[in-house]
């Protein structure tokens, strides 16, 4: 656990409290009205919200600008996601210092999806650093007040750095070795990619063994069949269970919008109640609920854990 | 060697619009090996240009005479000096190095202002063969293979990560951006596991030093290879045994399409 605590997220994790985090997605727009509205709905339900950085390599409002604006207007603590796909080490350093300047207290350091998978596939991919070296750089900035080249940083930012883990990785051993590498370089918390199957998470925790770093397990309650289907088809390392998908598909037949929404909620609560009950018995320190655009489901799901 | 393929004829003809008199220069280096600059390739492309109404002067360069070598290109361009002087464009069937060496020579040494146009797209440094080749080195100027079990992640990993794998490894250990390609980092893991070097896998590798690759890179050789050196290099006992083995070996068979 870190010696100094700068954020509410880190405070609750270090106190051993079971932590919930949410996810907000800036859009392709000249404003962040939608994630601000979603953040307002999540106040009191989650400790902090991740603010995505060009997810799936679709270019949206800068996650730094969005994180700042969301914290300013709603008071929701943000986890500023920062990926290496689009920035070299200089730009990453600038953005980390920028985050400190704007009062951001949590960063999630990610390699990021390849730009070829997104909406501007002709983009030149950067990946000057990777998730591990970005975590290393951030710790060096915060702890030593130095950049990668050892140059002094005046008034270094005070923030925490997290990393990602993929329990469903096709080659688990190399994934776990990478997670250990991130832990060795000083990652302060981990959030996992979406998991649907207990046996996948069990295998991951067994392979990893006991670690000091808190791990928040990712779940994705989908607000519609389309959202779940997209996840299943296009997100690497994630298989959505066919029964859950089929139940969501059936809701498409309901004509009345309110009835359909209620049925989607019922399907999600039914599926995730079992999973969350199971989660209580694992080493997970909390749950990262990636319910983008679906804040109303978080309250009912949290009840399961009470 | 530098793998290359010919551009679509429509693109070539687009560059040649309004340029009726064309010098077509082949290459006796890598382009010959990949059938994109040898005599037959020159003849085939010349025929296409002629049927599109162009007047073509063909210059093919024999094996070992590559367009990217100024001295060698000079010999063949000077041999057809009047055609070069009178043409509207020089179409070069080589990688971009050859095209630019010819551009510089025609500009600076022949004192001519000519359009010099590429006929090929260079794919990169590749190894393997005889049918399938793979880019494994990008000549970055600072080899990392000693830290990665002999597999270059800067080239073989889709993202060029020094500390992979990323979260996108597919079933069968393939890459998230191309199911045809292996995940370089899973391969590195498996090799390190075999070599008993998994501690090295877990250790963080520092970010790559791109300062060793300040473009354009310049390179100087104190003693250029002379004709006698080249002959000496070719006439060696291993040359004979090498060629004999290749002649006696069963010709390679292309893998059956699955």
């Amino acid at each position: 656990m870190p010696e100094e605590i700068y954020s509410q997220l880190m405070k609750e994790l270090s106190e051993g409290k079971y932590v919930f985090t949410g996810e907000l997605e800036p859009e392709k727009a000249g404003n962040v009205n939608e994630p601000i509205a979603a953040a307002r709905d999540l106040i009191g339900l989650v400790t902090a919200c991740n603010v995505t950085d060009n997810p799936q390599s679709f270019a949206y409002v800068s996650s730094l600008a969005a994180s700042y604006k969301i914290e300013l207007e709603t008071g929701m603590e943000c986890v500023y996601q920062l990926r290496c796909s689009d920035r070299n080490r200089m730009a990453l350093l600038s953005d980390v210092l920028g985050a400190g300047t704007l009062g951001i207290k949590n960063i999630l350091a990610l390699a990021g999806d390849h730009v070829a998978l997104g909406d501007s596939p002709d983009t030149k991919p950067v990946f000057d650093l990777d998730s591990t070296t970005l975590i290393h750089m951030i710790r060096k900035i915060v702890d030593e007040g130095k950049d990668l080249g050892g140059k002094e940083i005046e008034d270094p930012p005070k923030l925490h750095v997290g990393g990602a883990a993929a329990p469903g990785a096709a080659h688990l051993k190399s994934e776990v070795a990478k997670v250990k590498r991130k832990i060795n370089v000083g990652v302060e918390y981990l959030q996992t990619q979406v998991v649907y199957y207990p046996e996948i998470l069990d295998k991951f925790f067994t392979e990893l063994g006991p670690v000091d770093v808190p791990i928040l397990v990712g779940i994705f309650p989908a607000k519609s069949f389309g959202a779940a289907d997209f996840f299943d088809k296009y997100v690497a390392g994630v298989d959505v269970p066919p029964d859950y998908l089929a139940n969501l598909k059936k809701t498409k037949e309901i004509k009345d919008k309110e009835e359909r929404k209620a049925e989607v909620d019922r399907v999600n609560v039914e599926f995730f109640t079992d999973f969350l009950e199971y989660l209580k018995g694992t080493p997970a320190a909390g749950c990262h609920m990636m319910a983008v655009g679906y804040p109303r489901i978080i309250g009912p799901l949290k009840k399961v854990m009470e | 060697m530098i793998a290359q393929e010919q551009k679509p004829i429509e693109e070539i003809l687009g560059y040649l619009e309004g340029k009726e008199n064309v010098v077509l220069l082949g290459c006796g280096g890598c382009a010959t090996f990949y059938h994109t600059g040898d005599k037959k390739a020159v003849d085939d492309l010349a025929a296409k240009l002629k049927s599109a109404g162009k007047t073509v002067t063909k210059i093919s360069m024999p094996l070992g005479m590559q367009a990217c070598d100024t001295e060698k290109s000079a010999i063949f361009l000077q041999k057809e000096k009047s055609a070069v002087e009178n043409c509207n464009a020089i179409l070069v069937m080589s990688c971009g190095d050859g095209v630019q060496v010819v551009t510089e020579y025609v500009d600076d040494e022949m004192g001519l202002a000519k359009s010099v146009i590429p006929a090929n797209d260079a794919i990169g440094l590749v190894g393997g063969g005889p049918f399938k080749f793979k880019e494994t080195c990008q000549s970055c100027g600072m080899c990392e293979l000693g830290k990665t079990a002999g597999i270059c992640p800067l080239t073989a990993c889709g993202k060029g990560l020094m500390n992979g794998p990323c979260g996108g490894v597919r079933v069968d250990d393939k890459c998230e951006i191309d199911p045809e390609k292996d995940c370089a980092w899973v391969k590195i893991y498996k090799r390190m596991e075999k070599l008993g070097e998994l501690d090295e896998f877990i250790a963080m590798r520092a970010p790559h030093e791109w300062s060793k690759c300040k473009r354009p890179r310049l390179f100087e050789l104190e003693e250029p290879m002379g004709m006698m050196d080249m002959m000496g290099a070719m006439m060696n006992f291993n040359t004979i045994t090498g060629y004999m083995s290749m002649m006696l070996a069963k010709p390679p068979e292309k893998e059956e399409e699955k």
Side-chain angles (χ1 to χ4, degrees):
Chain A
M1 280 298 156
E3 285 173 20
E4 287 189 65
I5 307 267
Y6 310 120
S7 73
Q8 186 62 24
L9 173 66
M10 214 60 229
K11 183 174 179 287
E12 292 186 13
L13 286 171
S14 61
E15 286 168 355
K17 200 174 159 192
Y18 202 88
V19 169
F20 290 90
T21 50
E23 187 146 306
L24 304 169
E25 196 169 294
E27 299 181 309
K28 212 181 251 307
N31 65 65
V32 282
N33 297 343
E34 204 279 310
I36 281 177
R40 287 204 171 104
D41 289 340
L42 292 174
I43 298 258
L45 290 173
V46 295
T47 302
C49 275
N50 287 31
V51 179
T52 55
D53 179 13
N54 294 348
Q56 276 95 44
S57 286
F58 282 60
Y60 299 128
V61 175
S62 136
S63 52
L64 178 54
S67 298
Y68 171 67
K69 195 98 166 123
I70 292 164
E71 287 202 351
L72 184 74
E73 297 206 4
T74 71
M76 169 66 76
E77 183 169 296
C78 289
V79 176
Y80 160 41
Q81 293 195 181
L82 178 61
R83 44 178 240 155
C84 301
S85 320
D86 320 315
R87 299 168 184 85
N88 63 16
R89 66 193 83 176
M90 284 181 65
L92 290 166
L93 173 64
S94 292
D95 283 350
V96 172
L97 297 183
T101 304
L102 295 172
I104 306 291
K105 296 297 179 199
N106 308 292
I107 295 185
L108 184 71
L110 303 169
D113 292 308
H114 197 284
V115 295
L117 302 175
D119 66 349
S120 311
D122 286 333
T123 300
K124 184 175 186 179
V126 184
F127 299 108
D128 185 26
L129 300 188
D130 48 63
S131 50
T132 309
T133 43
L134 178 56
I135 292 163
H136 167 72
M137 182 181 83
I138 294 172
R139 285 304 302 258
K140 209 168 153 81
I141 294 168
V142 176
D143 300 346
E144 300 171 32
K146 286 181 179 162
D147 69 10
L148 276 178
K151 287 176 287 299
E152 296 280 338
I153 291 165
E154 199 188 310
D155 189 18
K158 292 176 167 42
L159 42 80
H160 298 287
V161 59
H171 191 268
L172 185 61
K173 282 183 171 182
S174 60
E175 173 64 23
V176 165
K178 184 183 68 173
V179 170
K180 287 180 178 166
R181 186 193 295 142
K182 288 180 182 178
I183 293 172
N184 289 346
V185 302
V187 78
E188 293 169 280
Y189 61 93
L190 289 161
Q191 288 176 315
T192 78
Q193 180 55 285
V194 171
V195 183
Y196 287 98
Y197 298 96
E199 48 278 24
I200 283 183
L201 199 57
D202 285 343
K203 255 196 214 164
F204 172 74
F205 279 127
T206 306
E207 188 74 33
L208 184 62
V211 293
D212 285 338
V213 173
I215 299 174
L216 302 169
V217 171
I219 64 166
F220 180 69
K223 66 174 175 180
S224 65
F225 167 72
D229 193 46
F230 178 88
F231 226 72
D232 189 47
K233 286 190 176 123
Y234 300 108
V235 177
V238 179
D239 279 321
V240 180
D243 288 356
Y244 169 67
L245 257 184
N247 288 338
L248 282 175
K249 197 172 185 177
K250 270 187 225 152
T251 64
K252 284 172 71 180
E253 290 159 17
I254 303 170
K255 292 224 170 75
D256 182 79
K257 202 176 160 190
E258 289 308 311
E259 273 180 40
R260 188 169 64 238
K261 277 163 84 174
E263 179 60 11
V264 168
D265 291 0
R266 196 197 60 75
V267 170
N268 275 305
V269 170
E270 184 183 87
F271 179 83
F272 286 104
T273 296
D274 289 349
F275 188 82
L276 288 168
E277 286 290 351
Y278 149 77
L279 211 53
K280 285 181 192 170
T282 70
C287 181
H288 176 53
M289 299 186 165
M290 296 186 216
V292 173
Y294 191 25
R296 70 170 188 274
I297 196 66
I298 293 195
L301 290 183
K302 264 195 80 179
K303 272 201 187 127
V304 178
M305 301 304 276
E306 282 159 6
Chain B
M1 264 184 292
I2 300 168
Q4 46 202 285
E5 53 193 17
Q6 199 174 98
K7 284 177 176 290
I9 188 68
E10 298 76 19
E11 186 186 341
I12 294 173
L13 289 174
Y15 293 128
L16 293 175
E17 212 177 297
K19 298 178 173 71
E20 301 314 318
N21 195 343
V22 179
V23 165
L24 182 58
L25 179 70
C27 171
C30 314
T32 284
F33 191 81
Y34 294 106
H35 308 305
T36 50
D38 57 317
K39 187 175 178 302
K40 184 177 178 298
V42 172
D43 288 344
D44 290 350
L45 184 53
K48 285 182 189 160
L49 297 178
K50 280 178 189 161
S51 66
K54 308 289 178 191
T55 306
V56 183
T57 304
K58 297 186 284 185
I59 309 178
S60 54
M61 293 174 72
L63 186 65
M65 295 282 170
Q66 56 272 41
C68 62
D69 184 328
T70 310
E71 270 188 326
K72 292 170 187 164
S73 275
I75 295 167
F76 294 90
L77 289 165
Q78 288 293 352
K79 220 172 111 187
E80 294 288 352
K81 196 175 175 191
S82 71
V84 174
E85 284 170 346
N86 294 321
C87 75
N88 307 115
I90 305 167
L91 182 60
V92 184
M93 301 179 73
S94 72
C95 70
D97 276 333
V99 178
Q100 292 176 81
V101 160
V102 169
T103 304
E104 213 166 283
Y105 182 78
V106 171
D107 267 17
D108 299 348
E109 303 301 324
M110 298 181 86
L112 301 170
K114 298 289 171 190
S115 295
V116 181
I117 292 160
N120 296 347
D121 289 315
I123 312 298
L125 292 180
V126 296
F131 295 106
K132 286 183 179 172
F133 297 85
K134 192 161 59 174
E135 184 184 20
T136 49
C137 171
Q138 53 180 286
S139 313
C140 67
M142 168 65 209
C143 189
E144 303 273 15
L145 288 171
K147 301 173 192 166
T148 55
I151 295 164
C152 174
L154 295 168
T155 313
C157 162
K159 295 178 182 173
L161 305 180
M162 283 299 293
N163 292 282
C166 74
V169 186
R170 290 175 190 248
V171 181
D172 301 331
D173 305 332
K174 298 292 179 186
C175 173
E176 73 170 8
I177 54 168
D178 191 340
E180 296 286 306
K181 292 173 185 162
D182 296 324
C183 168
W185 275 102
V186 171
K187 286 180 86 170
I188 292 170
Y189 181 92
K190 288 178 178 172
R191 281 216 79 210
M192 284 192 169
E193 191 175 35
K194 245 192 268 178
L195 296 168
E197 294 174 356
L198 280 181
D199 287 349
E200 275 184 49
F201 184 90
I202 293 175
M204 184 191 86
R205 278 150 293 272
H208 183 70
E209 290 175 44
W210 289 106
S211 58
K212 301 283 169 60
C213 183
K214 285 196 207 90
R215 288 193 158 127
R217 288 175 283 175
L218 305 172
F219 180 71
E220 219 173 295
L221 204 57
E222 274 182 19
E223 287 191 34
M225 195 179 209
M227 210 52 214
M228 291 308 282
D229 297 323
M230 205 150 97
M231 286 170 73
M234 287 168 77
M235 295 301 161
N236 155 333
F237 178 73
N238 285 338
T239 319
I240 301 162
T241 49
Y243 281 133
M244 286 298 283
S245 315
M246 283 180 77
M247 280 166 69
L248 296 173
K250 204 175 142 212
E253 275 173 37
K254 196 164 186 176
E255 272 177 53
E256 291 274 317
E257 291 293 329
K258 280 177 191 167

